[in-house]
């Protein structure tokens, strides 16, 4: 289930997606195409022409059957007939699935000066999604909840460079495990060369996340509206849409429960472990 992991305070941290970029000359990419038989052996090949897309796209499969993506020449780049000119070559894969796949290690060893463009860190919490209530920080102005019934629920927080997804991992992956498992998946866009990673300070904005095991007081029972509002927030209603009075009351109630403390140091540690496994030999 995990390739590299860090465990702290009953939370398990792992890297669930890496997006790495380097600059590769046309002649070198053509050679790589031949060596790997990209167009012949890929699961899917397509060309795209939108300014936000890559021109040449490949979905590839490793020996275990897990897929990953590579793209070459971003459509925002100027292209000419010089086959020595370097263009954007990007690979995206899930380390928890691809692990030490030979094809991944070969592609990464084929080029130099890799840049970390994006990663997903998975934080696994051994509780039910029904016990989670995500509270917005000011930076997060967008919370969406998709509820397909009972514990088939997903929260999406944010939309741009720093996004969070909270979902029932046990249900999503049909895991045969005892107990419950909720995943907090944080997506972060970056732009760091691997060799500079020793100085890399992961900067993430994470919403306050509490479990719903707070205690009612007798005074709480007197405010029937408050109890209804708390239930609505637990069911996915955005706490920021409440009046200032009820937002404060609900926050105070929820903060009586246990806060899930996500440790940035643990994220940095597992990220470094994974990157050094895949790229460390290139810089020794």
């Amino acid at each position: 289930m995990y390739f590299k992991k860090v465990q702290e305070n009953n939370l398990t941290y792992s890297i669930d997606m890496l997006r790495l970029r380097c600059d590769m000359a046309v002649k070198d990419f053509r050679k790589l195409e031949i060596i790997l038989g990209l167009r012949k052996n890929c699961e899917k090949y397509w060309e795209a022409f939108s300014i936000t897309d890559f021109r040449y796209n490949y979905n590839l499969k490793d020996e275990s059957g897990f897929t990953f993506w590579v793209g070459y020449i971003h459509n925002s780049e100027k292209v000419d007939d010089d086959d020595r000119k370097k263009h954007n070559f990007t690979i995206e894969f899930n380390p928890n699935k691809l692990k030490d796949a030979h094809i991944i290690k070969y592609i990464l060893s084929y080029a130099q000066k890799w840049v970390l463009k994006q990663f997903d860190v998975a934080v696994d919490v051994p509780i039910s999604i029904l016990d989670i209530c995500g509270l917005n920080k000011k930076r997060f102005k967008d919370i969406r909840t998709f509820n397909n019934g009972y514990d088939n629920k997903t929260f999406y927080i944010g939309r741009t460079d720093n996004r969070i997804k909270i979902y029932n991992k046990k249900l999503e992956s049909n895991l045969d495990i005892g107990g419950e498992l909720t995943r907090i998946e944080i997506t972060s866009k970056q732009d760091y060369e691997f060799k500079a990673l020793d100085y890399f300070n992961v900067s993430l904005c994470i919403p306050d996340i509490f479990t719903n095991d707070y205690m009612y007081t007798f005074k709480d029972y007197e405010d029937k509206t408050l109890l209804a509002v708390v239930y609505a927030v637990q069911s996915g209603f955005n706490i920021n849409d409440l009046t200032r009075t009820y937002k404060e009351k609900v926050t105070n109630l929820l903060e009586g429960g246990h806060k899930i403390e996500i440790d940035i140091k643990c994220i940095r540690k597992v990220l470094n472990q994974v990157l050094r496994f895949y790229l460390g030999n290139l810089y020794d």
Side-chain angles (χ1 to χ4, degrees), residues 22-282:
C22 71
D23 293 319
M24 186 180 295
V26 174
K27 61 182 181 65
D28 293 328
F29 177 74
R30 288 174 179 166
K31 181 180 178 181
L32 183 65
E33 262 193 321
I34 295 171
I35 293 172
L36 297 180
L38 289 182
R39 297 201 187 189
K40 179 181 178 181
N41 298 323
C42 68
E43 286 290 294
K44 181 181 179 182
Y45 166 76
W46 72 99
E47 296 183 13
F49 299 93
S50 168
I51 193 67
T52 60
D53 293 330
F54 281 81
R55 176 66 55 86
Y56 307 107
N57 300 267
Y58 307 81
N59 278 347
L60 302 167
K61 184 181 289 187
D62 80 327
E63 52 268 29
S64 299
F66 294 112
T67 59
F68 63 98
W69 169 86
V70 298
Y72 185 58
I73 303 184
H74 197 271
N75 286 324
S76 60
E77 298 178 275
K78 185 178 179 181
V79 180
D80 54 36
D81 295 331
D82 185 358
D83 67 357
R84 296 169 299 176
K85 186 174 181 179
K86 293 184 177 182
H87 295 283
N88 185 335
F89 177 83
T90 295
I91 181 170
E92 181 177 303
F93 64 98
N94 183 342
N96 280 335
K97 292 182 178 179
L98 276 298
K99 295 182 169 57
D100 58 351
H102 174 75
I103 189 171
I104 295 291
K105 296 177 73 174
Y106 181 84
I107 292 174
L108 293 176
S109 67
Y110 187 79
Q112 296 286 333
K113 296 184 178 179
W114 287 99
V115 176
L116 174 65
K117 299 298 293 183
Q118 185 173 315
F119 69 90
D120 287 357
V121 59
V123 184
D124 287 340
V125 192
I127 61 174
S128 169
I129 188 77
L130 298 175
D131 294 326
I132 290 285
C133 185
L135 296 183
N136 232 359
K137 283 188 173 180
K138 291 183 179 179
R139 177 178 171 184
F140 292 103
K141 298 181 179 179
D142 180 64
I143 294 181
R144 291 158 289 148
T145 303
F146 293 87
N147 193 341
N148 294 315
Y150 193 53
D151 61 351
N152 190 2
K153 179 188 293 188
T154 304
F155 297 98
Y156 292 93
I157 306 171
R159 286 181 182 267
T160 54
D161 293 350
N162 190 177
R163 305 187 302 273
I164 292 92
K165 176 183 177 183
I166 305 173
Y167 61 99
N168 186 338
K169 179 62 177 176
K170 180 178 179 179
L171 181 65
E172 185 260 356
S173 296
N174 194 26
L175 298 177
D176 184 17
I177 58 173
E180 303 296 331
L181 190 65
T182 293
R183 173 162 289 185
I184 303 166
E185 191 172 275
I186 305 165
T187 297
S188 178
K189 291 185 178 181
Q190 303 289 335
D191 193 17
Y192 282 88
E193 276 194 52
F194 172 72
K195 66 180 182 180
L197 214 64
D198 285 335
Y199 312 100
F200 176 42
N201 183 24
V202 176
S203 178
L204 299 173
C205 189
I206 301 169
D208 294 326
I209 303 173
F210 298 92
T211 56
N212 291 330
D213 53 349
Y214 54 84
M215 298 294 293
Y216 287 115
T217 66
F218 288 114
K219 185 175 181 180
D220 297 329
Y221 281 107
E222 295 174 1
D223 190 342
K224 303 300 183 184
T225 302
L226 174 60
L227 299 184
V229 170
V230 169
Y231 178 78
V233 170
Q234 289 175 318
S235 300
F237 187 83
N238 190 343
I239 194 172
N240 284 340
D241 292 335
L242 299 176
T243 64
R244 179 179 298 178
T245 299
Y246 275 105
K247 180 178 179 180
E248 182 177 344
K249 287 183 177 181
V250 172
T251 300
N252 289 338
L253 269 180
L254 293 173
E255 289 182 350
H258 292 102
K259 183 177 179 181
I260 298 175
E261 298 283 357
I262 296 177
D263 192 338
I264 297 295
K265 291 181 180 178
C266 290
I267 294 176
R268 185 176 189 272
K269 183 176 181 179
V270 73
L271 177 62
N272 273 273
Q273 286 179 358
V274 171
L275 288 174
R276 292 190 185 285
F277 175 84
Y278 287 114
L279 302 176
N281 291 337
L282 305 180

